Amino acid sequence: MFSYCTDPNALSGLTWLSCYLTTGKHMAFYFSFGTVLLLLAITAPVALLFGFFGASAARSHILPLRWFGKTYIALVRGVPDIAFFLFFVIALDQMIEWTRHKILCPEWTEPVRQGNDFVVCQAAKMPLGSAPQWVHETYGFTLAVFTFAIVFGAFAANVMFGAMRAVPRAQMETAEAYGMTRRQAFRRILVPQMWVYALPGLGNLWMVLIKATPLLFLLGVEDIVYWAREMGGSKTSKFTEYPHGDWRMWYFFALLVFYLCFTRISEIFLERVMKRLTKGQATTGGEAQRKAPA
Amino acid sequence: MSCWMTIQDYGLRAVGIGERLLPREDFTLCQQFTLIGSGMIWNIYFGAFALISGFFFANALAMAKSARSPWLRKPAEWFIFIFRGSPLFVQFFFGYFLFLSLKQVFPIFTPFTAAWLGALVVLFLNTSAYSAEIFFGALRSIPKGDVESADAYGFSGWPRFKKIIWPTMLRLAWPAYTNEAIFLFHATALVFFSGFPAWQQKGDALYYANYFADKTFNPFVPYPILAMYFILLTLVVLSIFGLANRFLNRHLPQEARRKIKLKMNVIR
């Protein structure tokens, strides 16, 4: 990176550190923080969408749809979500390959599950065996995002289901009195009002989502945990120009600090939003704001 | 091989008793049920011990956080912030490598690098922080009238705390604390995926479920079994905490009792 880094053996102290921290591998490490942020940026809205549809389904008048919604919400309770993460990644992958197998290789007669193996024809492999490395990585990342969205969608569905029920009944009755259909009342009255009630729960969920991002490592994505383990391990001068002992502790300390800063910033931001939203509301929060000395 | 023999061989495999080799092929349903069930021993061990020891520390922390002196308050606030603000998964990793480095200098830290103690310490600290926040919140929402009545009756200092403040705090905090207990049991599934090695393949339920899913390449059998075990565990925890809740609320009229509502299961 820097011009004086050409001969690492001649360096010492801070200059050594500045060179060490700017090696190509470290750049990949810093880049993986971007991966985490990207995951958050994609997962949050998708999970919100899943949650919205889950909550709407759970309120539906159509019985199978309601069952689906309720099961979706209840599924994630009672079971550690790490189990869901590990489950969905394989399950989704096999589902995609199986579907492609059925479509692309109809002449294939052998069963897909042979003993301990899951065998599909070459053309159905996802991604194709011949695909370049970045396709494999993107596919893995997409699966991870989808898994996160399914699990956190269930959490969000639960929050929104509660928020929809918290909207005062009188509001819906007024909508009915104006002659609105169920759908109109849902779209015009319920949805705009539910957000105030959903925000504390969703904010909480956002914090939980941040703290769930290191689980990406378990889904086979090269994220910050992966790199911290990789680079912290002791290195001898045989393999690298920057030998050092076991520094994994310090790398994970850095991750700890990163997450602490991230959650703290989110907390402050959410507090601000909440303050703004509760202003003038007929809730205890709004009341406290009114009574507080101006 | 009958199922009964499998249970004899693998029922206590997770703690190292019984057959040494894990099944390698022709996995039967019985084997999966038995091994994953035997792994639950670890989940219960971690959860129960961290919960019980954490309860006392959490009380102390909550007191410290509500103390007036900044010498007590600030450390408690920082402790709670650090453990609630960072992911448990990273805490496990950091704890493991911290113990590993300490072991080089002080040999006394050798047992801490094993999951049974090291992970327990991390879980203990983590649940203490979360429970302390719950207790602190409850401490602040004790009705003003209760404390005033205690004052009027001449209670003060330690008797007031022991007889009035602490029981009320516990009663108010109990529903939230029940949820925290359930999260904790779920969080124990992370232990063997976070640096702590499963020595001689003695792992927890998720470790074995993952083993079967990897070997059979079929996630649709072991994970639902695991889910079933965890739902059972959740129900057991709920009923035990429900009994405690009834005990804490025994003096109240029936309608005023606070019911435990199972809220979201979320990781930290």
Side-chain angles (χ1 to χ4, degrees):
Chain A
M1 183 82 179
F2 302 111
S3 53
Y4 53 80
C5 291
T6 40
D7 183 18
N9 292 321
L11 298 168
S12 67
L14 274 180
T15 39
W16 184 88
L17 198 66
S18 69
C19 290
Y20 172 69
L21 288 178
T22 47
T23 55
K25 276 208 160 178
H26 272 86
M27 288 302 156
F29 177 51
Y30 305 138
F31 188 70
S32 66
F33 282 91
T35 312
V36 169
L37 296 181
L38 184 69
L39 173 90
L40 281 172
I42 301 175
T43 312
V46 177
L48 210 59
L49 207 69
F50 278 26
F52 185 76
F53 284 114
S56 314
R59 281 176 51 88
S60 165
H61 271 197
I62 308 160
L63 198 61
L65 206 59
R66 189 162 73 233
W67 278 345
F68 170 76
K70 295 239 174 181
T71 329
Y72 177 50
I73 294 175
L75 196 76
V76 203
R77 295 183 189 181
V79 182
D81 32 17
I82 175 187
F84 279 103
F85 286 135
L86 294 178
F87 171 76
F88 273 125
V89 167
I90 314 181
L92 283 175
D93 187 41
Q94 290 192 352
M95 221 163 67
I96 293 170
E97 289 200 337
W98 184 79
T99 318
R100 281 170 60 96
H101 177 78
K102 283 283 164 208
I103 296 167
L104 294 174
C105 316
E107 72 282 356
W108 195 285
T109 49
E110 290 170 55
V112 170
R113 286 202 187 283
Q114 299 170 7
N116 290 340
D117 290 319
F118 181 82
V119 186
V120 292
C121 62
Q122 276 305 316
K125 282 267 194 303
M126 186 75 187
L128 292 172
S130 56
Q133 179 63 19
W134 69 268
V135 175
H136 282 268
E137 275 171 18
T138 314
Y139 179 68
F141 185 73
T142 315
L143 273 186
V145 167
F146 208 64
T147 310
F148 264 75
I150 289 175
V151 173
F152 278 86
F155 293 146
N158 192 47
V159 169
M160 286 200 234
F161 185 66
M164 284 177 184
R165 291 216 298 201
V167 172
R169 180 81 196 105
Q171 295 283 336
M172 294 303 281
E173 274 165 8
T174 314
E176 277 161 26
Y178 272 94
M180 290 188 198
T181 60
R182 248 184 84 80
R183 185 173 299 178
Q184 280 175 328
F186 178 77
R187 212 179 53 231
R188 295 183 190 167
I189 310 294
L190 194 72
V191 174
Q193 288 195 39
M194 60 179 258
W195 299 108
V196 187
Y197 300 95
L199 195 81
L202 291 180
N204 207 2
L205 210 57
W206 167 252
M207 308 291 273
V208 174
L209 181 61
I210 293 175
K211 286 186 255 169
T213 47
L215 297 181
L216 260 184
F217 166 68
L218 294 180
L219 310 188
V221 177
E222 292 185 1
D223 75 330
I224 44 183
V225 175
Y226 169 86
W227 281 111
R229 262 166 64 108
E230 194 72 354
M231 290 190 309
S234 47
K235 304 267 188 325
T236 54
S237 47
K238 209 172 193 176
F239 300 107
T240 169
E241 291 171 325
Y242 301 93
H244 60 75
D246 190 349
W247 282 2
R248 281 177 293 188
M249 186 180 114
W250 300 112
Y251 277 93
F252 278 101
F253 183 72
L255 289 196
L256 220 59
V257 172
F258 165 72
Y259 276 109
L260 282 178
C261 295
F262 200 3
T263 48
R264 186 78 198 122
I265 292 168
S266 309
E267 219 170 61
I268 292 169
F269 178 73
L270 285 169
E271 244 163 53
R272 288 243 173 101
V273 173
M274 200 58 210
K275 224 177 203 168
R276 170 99 15 120
L277 273 181
T278 48
K279 194 168 184 185
Q281 291 273 344
T283 54
T284 42
E287 190 71 1
Q289 266 184 28
R290 191 175 63 80
K291 279 189 183 157
Chain B
M1 198 158 83
S2 73
C3 190
W4 178 239
M5 276 171 68
T6 310
I7 292 176
Q8 277 185 333
D9 281 349
Y10 291 117
L12 293 171
R13 175 63 179 77
V15 285
I17 302 171
E19 190 65 37
R20 221 194 117 118
L21 285 177
L22 292 187
R24 286 180 183 278
E25 51 208 356
D26 301 331
F27 302 94
T28 61
L29 258 185
C30 177
Q31 279 173 341
Q32 307 204 9
F33 264 103
T34 314
L35 258 178
I36 295 174
S38 113
M40 287 302 283
I41 296 172
W42 279 111
N43 294 91
I44 294 169
Y45 161 82
F46 283 126
F49 278 87
L51 197 66
I52 293 165
S53 50
F55 176 77
F56 295 102
F57 191 40
N59 272 300
L61 273 174
M63 295 308 146
K65 194 177 174 183
S66 55
R68 210 162 275 152
S69 150
W71 292 102
L72 278 172
R73 200 180 63 230
K74 283 289 163 198
E77 274 174 1
W78 272 98
F79 179 88
I80 292 174
F81 167 64
I82 286 172
F83 278 94
R84 288 185 76 229
S86 60
L88 178 64
F89 196 54
V90 173
Q91 287 167 22
F92 271 134
F93 270 115
F94 177 66
Y96 176 63
F97 294 124
L98 177 72
F99 292 139
L100 218 55
S101 320
L102 282 175
K103 186 176 132 183
Q104 315 288 337
V105 191
F106 312 102
I108 198 167
F109 279 99
T110 310
F112 282 88
T113 52
W116 69 270
L117 187 57
L120 188 62
V121 168
V122 176
L123 277 170
F124 157 72
L125 295 174
N126 186 279
T127 188
S128 297
Y130 276 88
S131 319
E133 187 65 22
I134 293 171
F135 290 152
F136 174 70
L139 213 53
R140 286 211 306 188
S141 52
I142 291 177
K144 212 164 58 177
D146 287 21
V147 186
E148 280 168 1
S149 324
D151 286 339
Y153 273 100
F155 280 103
S156 70
W158 175 246
R160 187 181 74 166
F161 175 76
K162 197 180 75 179
K163 289 233 158 71
I164 311 292
I165 294 184
W166 193 69
T168 313
M169 176 203 87
L170 217 53
R171 181 169 65 83
L172 294 176
W174 205 254
Y177 188 58
T178 308
N179 285 323
E180 162 58 25
I182 292 168
F183 303 161
L184 177 68
F185 275 103
H186 290 177
T188 57
L190 279 173
V191 169
F192 289 103
F193 286 87
S194 58
F196 286 102
W199 191 58
Q200 289 182 345
Q201 294 187 312
K202 292 183 223 163
D204 76 329
L206 187 63
Y207 175 83
Y208 288 123
N210 190 45
Y211 172 83
F212 284 121
D214 278 355
K215 285 278 185 270
T216 60
F217 212 62
N218 180 2
F220 297 97
V221 179
Y223 287 120
I225 294 175
L226 176 84
M228 184 211 74
Y229 276 121
F230 264 101
I231 288 171
L232 273 181
L233 182 65
T234 307
L235 291 178
V236 170
V237 172
L238 261 184
S239 55
I240 293 173
F241 273 72
L243 284 180
N245 192 43
R246 267 181 56 186
F247 177 77
L248 288 169
N249 284 298
R250 67 196 182 284
H251 60 288
L252 290 180
Q254 287 290 337
E255 299 87 62
R257 294 192 176 173
R258 293 168 68 101
K259 286 241 172 60
I260 292 181
K261 254 177 68 188
L262 178 59
K263 269 178 51 190
M264 260 353 285
N265 140 36
V266 271
I267 24 159
R268 38 268 184 80

